Amino acid sequence: MKLPTTIYAVSSGLGRAGIAVVRLSGPSARLVLFSLVSVFPKPRLASLRKLVSDGELIDEALVLWFPGPASVTGEDLAEFHVHGSPAVLSRLFLAFSQFEDVVPAVAGEFTRRAFDNGRLDLVEVEGLADLLAADSEGQRKLAIRQFAGESSGLVESWRDRVIEALALSEAAIDFSEEDADIAAVGEIVTSRAMALVQELQGVLDQSVAGISVRHGLRVVFAGAPNVGKSSLFNWLLDREAAIVSAQAGTTRDVVASGASLGGLPLLLADTAGLRDDTHDEIEKMGMLRSLSEIGDADVLIWVRAPGIDETVGPARTPDLIVHNKSDLGEPRLIHVRNDSTIIVSVKTGEGLDRLRSAIQLVIAERYAGAENAILVRGRHRESVEKSIRHLNNFLEGTKKSAELRAEDLRWAARELAAITGRVDVEDLLGKIFSEFCIGK
């Protein structure tokens, strides 16, 4: 059988740096490392070594040796902490290329080998991908729980409970004619299945917040033209991301930008003003996109201003109503003041602290329980939904044969196993690992 290739890549990011970390993993890692250093390093001990190839000094570097399977990939793995210039890396890679089976890694290949060798399960792999992509504290906290195996442990405990119920059910089938207490076994299995369905449903309900943390809540500013949406958008971003002008209809398209508020990820969107008296085709196209954004918004902030009539109202109930430009006069709809209505002026700063606090409160409510979410991806939800469906089929199928009811439990366990990657995940792997950078 042909041995797998040995792969290498920069794991610390591309470009010039003080130090670059190069990983080399596979069956030839020991031979390559031995060819470059005069004294082989002890396992898992950082050692300063001169790297020499063809009698030429490449660099002086820290070298680490991790013999498999006790490495991140489950294979023999060497790390070279070299000076991070392109010239040093190029010469080191030239030395690697002298070995026939040593090749550059493709995106995600190190992590794929960790998965194939049982060092990471699929949820931990996804957690690592999310950790590498995390932009906010909320995303980091959620990702580290996945990567550290906390979520996997809970999923496996659910699967174990289904398997225990299945074992009892199959024992009841095998010994139904010999044991008078077999009915009691059926009651135990039913009770356990019902308890698990309730637990899974609670986790499923909580997953909406977890998925929102991964992607960031979409916060949309909408309203009539020239009410100051772009000014509020720029204020919340703390930079000039959208063009601000006194001319109505300046914003013709959706301007979106990522942000973090209170450690939680957001995607802010500034939209074209809505009115029904324009003949400008481009402005009409922009308004259609605005309506689409309003429909997709997790948080809708509807903006009004003195002296500007609304000819198009919000298509759904706003989460917050902002009366902007208070420096120009009191809003006419003074009677709508309540906890979701805030009077502000971007020009003078009036009410902006209260608006920020109100936005944070709405976001915190949307994210309630997110840090404890177990299911953070659509495929996790889908597997749990299917598992609940099979468990309910078991509970409702009292008129079916015992064998068919046991099959419902078997499928419930199979769906839970798919979350961590025990079964039926080959079609997912290419997509998941392609999300990683080359050095991962």
Side-chain angles (χ1 to χ4, degrees):
M1 184 179 71
K2 184 179 179 180
L3 291 174
T5 57
T6 298
I7 57 174
Y8 66 88
V10 179
S11 292
S12 53
L14 300 178
R16 293 181 183 273
I19 298 294
V21 179
V22 177
R23 277 180 171 172
L24 178 75
S25 178
S28 294
R30 178 186 291 271
L31 179 60
V32 174
L33 179 56
F34 188 78
S35 74
L36 292 171
V37 299
S38 58
V39 179
F40 202 85
K42 294 181 180 180
R44 288 170 290 280
L45 180 66
S47 306
L48 185 64
R49 294 288 186 270
K50 287 181 169 62
L51 305 181
V52 179
S53 176
D54 295 330
E56 178 186 3
L57 178 64
I58 299 174
D59 195 11
E60 191 171 37
L62 280 180
V63 176
L64 292 100
W65 169 244
F66 302 94
S71 71
V72 294
T73 59
E75 304 174 319
D76 284 350
L77 184 143
E79 276 191 5
F80 302 85
H81 295 234
V82 299
H83 292 97
S85 72
V88 169
L89 293 173
S90 178
R91 184 62 184 85
L92 181 62
F93 295 162
L94 179 62
F96 290 168
S97 69
Q98 295 177 7
F99 296 83
E100 185 177 353
D101 68 330
V102 178
V103 298
V106 299
E109 193 169 2
F110 283 90
T111 309
R112 174 63 188 261
R113 292 190 178 197
F115 173 78
D116 289 340
N117 294 321
R119 301 296 292 176
L120 296 174
D121 66 33
L122 204 53
V123 173
E124 291 166 340
V125 166
E126 291 169 328
L128 176 57
D130 288 345
L131 188 61
L132 293 170
D135 291 319
S136 71
E137 179 65 7
Q139 288 173 325
R140 184 197 65 80
K141 287 181 178 179
L142 194 67
I144 200 67
R145 292 189 66 211
Q146 311 288 312
F147 176 53
E150 185 176 344
S151 296
S152 296
L154 188 54
V155 172
E156 284 301 302
S157 74
W158 296 335
R159 178 174 173 270
D160 289 343
R161 287 159 65 182
V162 177
I163 290 174
E164 288 174 5
L166 175 61
L168 288 172
S169 294
E170 291 185 334
I173 294 170
D174 292 339
F175 300 104
S176 59
E177 297 180 358
E178 304 174 19
D179 193 339
D181 294 328
I182 211 66
V185 174
E187 291 178 2
I188 292 172
V189 173
T190 297
S191 175
R192 291 183 179 182
M194 290 177 65
L196 184 56
V197 166
Q198 292 178 350
E199 184 175 337
L200 291 178
Q201 189 59 57
V203 170
L204 196 63
D205 294 341
Q206 192 182 53
S207 69
V208 176
I211 291 173
S212 293
V213 167
R214 279 196 69 241
H215 297 292
L217 284 181
R218 197 165 188 88
V219 179
V220 176
F221 290 90
N226 211 29
V227 293
K229 301 183 296 299
S230 296
S231 296
L232 287 167
F233 175 76
N234 290 341
W235 160 75
L236 198 55
L237 283 175
D238 197 27
R239 60 187 177 88
E240 297 296 318
I243 296 173
V244 175
S245 170
Q247 180 180 338
T250 300
T251 302
R252 299 294 189 95
D253 202 351
V254 176
V255 180
S257 182
S260 178
L261 191 60
L264 296 171
L266 307 177
L267 184 62
L268 303 181
D270 180 28
T271 61
L274 298 173
R275 57 178 174 174
D276 60 7
D277 58 349
T278 182
H279 300 289
D280 187 316
E281 291 301 320
I282 296 178
E283 187 178 357
K284 287 180 180 179
M285 291 172 63
M287 288 192 289
L288 287 174
R289 294 187 181 184
S290 296
L291 293 172
S292 176
E293 284 293 321
I294 290 170
D296 293 338
D298 295 303
V299 177
L300 175 60
I301 300 177
W302 190 261
V303 185
R304 291 170 174 156
I308 298 177
D309 294 327
E310 282 184 8
T311 56
V312 178
R316 47 162 278 202
T317 302
D319 297 282
L320 292 171
I321 298 174
V322 178
H323 287 284
N324 193 19
K325 304 184 181 182
S326 62
D327 52 292
L328 300 181
E330 283 292 314
R332 283 181 281 174
L333 300 179
I334 202 72
H335 63 278
V336 299
R337 285 186 179 179
N338 52 47
D339 290 341
S340 62
T341 302
I342 301 169
I343 298 173
V344 304
S345 170
V346 178
K347 184 175 182 179
T348 67
E350 179 191 355
L352 293 181
D353 287 342
R354 184 185 169 208
L355 176 57
R356 187 188 298 274
S357 297
I359 295 172
Q360 284 183 299
L361 180 61
V362 171
I363 292 168
E365 290 173 349
R366 297 290 193 278
Y367 278 136
E371 292 180 2
N372 298 317
I374 302 301
L375 315 176
V376 299
R377 291 180 179 243
R379 77 169 192 90
H380 300 169
R381 279 185 56 91
E382 183 178 355
S383 289
V384 169
E385 286 169 347
K386 289 179 178 178
S387 184
I388 291 174
R389 188 156 59 246
H390 289 301
L391 289 170
N392 282 331
N393 288 342
F394 167 80
L395 292 170
E396 296 166 3
T398 54
K399 295 182 180 180
K400 293 192 300 186
S401 69
E403 289 80 3
L404 288 177
R405 294 188 73 203
E407 190 66 15
D408 288 325
L409 291 177
R410 188 172 288 107
W411 275 106
R414 190 177 182 85
E415 289 298 339
L416 293 173
I419 296 176
T420 54
R422 286 180 176 268
V423 295
D424 289 347
V425 296
E426 192 61 36
D427 56 334
L428 294 169
L429 298 184
K431 179 179 184 302
I432 289 172
F433 290 108
S434 68
E435 297 176 5
F436 286 84
C437 58
I438 298 296
K440 280 291 181 180

